[in-house]
Amino acid sequence: MKRKDILGIKDLSKAELNELLVEAEVMRGHIDRRERLSILSGKTVATLFYENSTRTRNSFDTAAKNLGASTMGISVATSSVQKGESLIDTGKTLVALGVNAIVIRHSAAGAPRLLAENVTASVINAGDGQCEHPSQALLDVFTAKRHFDDLAGLKVVIVGDIKHSRVARSDTLAFTKLGASVTLCAPYTLLPEAIEEMGATVEPDFDKAIADADIIMPLRIQLERMNGAYFSTIEEYHECYGVNERRLERAAADSIVMHPAPINRGAEIDGVVADGYNSVIEEQVTNGVAMRMAMLKYLCAQ
């Protein structure tokens, strides 16, 4: 089913997820062969980021160029936003400039949906507040599928700052839609209210949670979103919830370690694990370009 926007995993059907996964595999082949395409020749993709980003913004920019599109990076810090221009007016200006798709990251939950309802261009949510981050979830399930093929029955453990994580929400939705089970692990202070509605199991003891896990995903401690004392020290947090070699021995023999990045070594993950045999963190970056190519083609190709 063709759609105008991709705003959240909750909006996508299982059939759409599988369609994007198949397309991303095709795009990964083009990347590996260093092939540039012309599928979106004549189209323009704008990245509109109200929050900092390295991987997501540059990944979308690379994806668009790989498909033959022109790109327009909007620096909010030096744009008319600083003069009081509204999100909707900014979006309408971009459309008037000929933009066909807007990739937006915003600190306010729901901002991408508001924009999508008021512009004719396609809108992709690149992260909105503590709500969703659909492209990250899509690249994560794509990375997992390349290792395990069938995700049904796999055990996924997401550990860390669940409360502030839009990645945790989107990944839980994506993995469960594709048949995996998700266990969320965090201190009680970092678990959101009504967590059961996310469709995951909650296990606050990480040593229990990681047992027989196929996919382990530690989350970055988002100090920039915190306004309270959620744990005493980073050292204590790492002792209880850090992914280390000892804990990995409790996981499945062929388990993989993922991370949405950026990584805080010595906090949520040991450096030796981040760089180790089980880690697919760098692979996620390349797969992110492939999946974002698939997303842009899905929305913008004639």
Side-chain angles (χ1 to χ4, degrees), residues 153-220:
L154 294 183
K155 179 180 179 181
V156 181
V157 176
I158 303 176
V159 56
D161 187 2
I162 309 295
K163 185 180 183 71
H164 301 95
S165 177
R166 53 199 174 204
V167 173
R169 287 165 175 76
S170 289
D171 273 65
T172 297
L173 289 168
F175 276 108
T176 54
K177 280 188 179 184
L178 295 172
S181 65
V182 177
T183 298
L184 302 176
C185 180
Y188 286 111
T189 53
L190 289 176
L191 291 172
E193 296 179 5
I195 192 172
E196 296 80 7
E197 297 177 5
M198 293 175 65
T201 300
V202 178
E203 174 51 71
D205 187 327
F206 189 25
D207 288 308
K208 291 181 181 179
I210 201 173
D212 301 317
D214 301 290
I215 300 166
I216 304 100
M217 181 184 296
L219 301 173
R220 181 177 65 89

Side-chain angles (χ1 to χ4, degrees), residues 93 102 117 147 150 154 156 158 163 182 204 231 253 277 285 288:
T93 297
I102 302 171
E117 291 171 351
H147 280 265
D150 188 2
L154 294 183
V156 181
I158 303 176
K163 185 180 183 71
V182 177
F231 52 85
Y277 176 80
V285 177

Side-chain angles (χ1 to χ4, degrees), residues 17 37 84 139 241 287:
L17 290 177
L37 307 176
L139 77 87
Y241 295 98
N287 287 339

